[in-house]
Amino acid sequence: MESYAIYISIFSLLISFFALYRQRKRLTVTWQENCYVLNPKTDIFFNGEPYPTSAKVAFYTSIDIVNPSNVNMAFFDLRAFNPRTNENHFIATQRSTLPEVQNNPLFITAFGLENLENFFIKLPARKFGELNAGSYTSIDILIFANKYVAIDDGIVVSMKVTDTSWFHRSLFSDTNRKIYKAHEFFYNLKGYEDILVSKNRYNNSDKRKNTAQ
């Protein structure tokens, strides 16, 4: 009888470990490695008109997030910044844009109006959001350069998720939320000025010039 009790205890322990394993928080975060260089006056449209902004240059990239666990999570502190000075550029969200633009897609012409690789994007609602269990989330990141912040140092795009971590904390965090796991990607953006200058000369043969890494 004692041996049966031991087997039952071991089996119960294994079930407990399996339940904990299934309930662990885990995400797969994939960054688009290229960052498109955009002239806001000619490359970003809303209802056929240029997007209303005074920024001289913008950048587009995206983040794909898979939450394969059965635990709801969230992301927050979404930001784009200079990695040397830690100063912010501007990430466009529905909350920060004009009312007529909110909840509506933007048309991005990264390689010129005649190109077949143009696409629509939808701004995220805010700089935070839900990541439901078993979900896939794609976030469009449209960055308007802060004229008071240098671009030559590149741009880091960063976000945190609701999972505490000792090893993946952000070195750039200046809030009291440093204990949460950070996901970051650096874009060096070398040559972005040359891309802007040559925007009007884009065609299908030189479209690869419109990406920085």
Side-chain angles (χ1 to χ4, degrees):
M1 294 295 295
E2 292 181 0
S3 61
Y4 284 115
I6 293 174
Y7 291 144
I8 292 173
S9 298
I10 293 174
F11 184 69
S12 299
L13 184 62
L14 291 174
I15 291 177
S16 298
F17 278 128
F18 180 71
L20 289 173
Y21 177 81
R22 289 200 60 190
Q23 293 176 4
R24 78 191 191 283
K25 295 179 178 180
R26 54 196 176 99
L27 294 174
T28 299
V29 178
T30 303
W31 300 86
Q32 179 174 303
E33 294 186 359
N34 290 326
C35 189
Y36 294 102
V37 180
L38 304 173
N39 181 335
K41 294 182 179 180
T42 60
D43 299 332
I44 308 173
F45 293 90
F46 170 72
N47 280 349
E49 298 294 331
Y51 183 87
T53 179
S54 61
K56 303 299 183 182
V57 60
F59 304 98
Y60 169 78
T61 188
S62 63
I63 312 171
D64 296 323
I65 308 170
V66 178
N67 180 4
S69 68
N70 60 357
V71 179
N72 292 335
M73 298 179 65
F75 70 89
F76 57 96
D77 287 353
L78 178 65
R79 59 190 293 246
F81 57 92
N82 180 306
R84 180 177 61 84
T85 65
N86 207 22
E87 297 173 296
N88 287 329
H89 294 283
F90 303 107
I91 291 182
T93 66
Q94 294 179 28
R95 190 176 188 178
S96 65
T97 193
L98 297 174
E100 58 267 28
V101 181
Q102 293 176 1
N103 299 313
N104 290 293
L106 299 179
F107 186 55
I108 304 297
T109 61
F111 307 113
L113 283 171
E114 76 286 351
N115 197 279
L116 296 178
E117 294 187 16
N118 299 329
F119 51 91
F120 286 94
I121 69 170
K122 186 173 183 180
L123 300 180
R126 296 177 176 85
K127 294 181 181 179
F128 60 89
E130 298 179 350
L131 300 170
N132 294 324
S135 68
Y136 165 81
T137 303
S138 183
I139 305 175
D140 290 312
I141 305 297
L142 182 60
I143 304 165
F144 290 103
N146 185 339
K147 65 180 180 180
Y148 301 108
V149 178
I151 303 175
D152 294 339
D153 298 315
I155 289 178
V156 170
V157 181
S158 173
M159 71 173 184
K160 298 186 183 74
V161 297
T162 50
D163 186 11
T164 55
S165 174
W166 288 100
F167 306 105
H168 298 280
R169 298 180 181 180
S170 176
L171 298 175
F172 306 98
S173 177
D174 55 3
T175 71
N176 60 356
R177 297 190 286 269
K178 294 181 180 180
I179 65 172
Y180 293 98
K181 188 172 183 178
H183 294 271
E184 299 170 339
F185 198 89
F186 172 72
Y187 298 96
N188 66 37
L189 302 178
K190 290 181 179 179
Y192 83 92
E193 291 177 314
D194 294 335
I195 293 173
L196 285 179
V197 170
S198 62
K199 269 291 185 178
N200 293 332
R201 299 195 301 270
Y202 279 150
N203 54 49
N204 290 334
S205 63
D206 62 7
K207 64 184 178 181
R208 292 183 181 178
K209 295 180 181 178
N210 190 30
T211 61
Q213 295 183 348

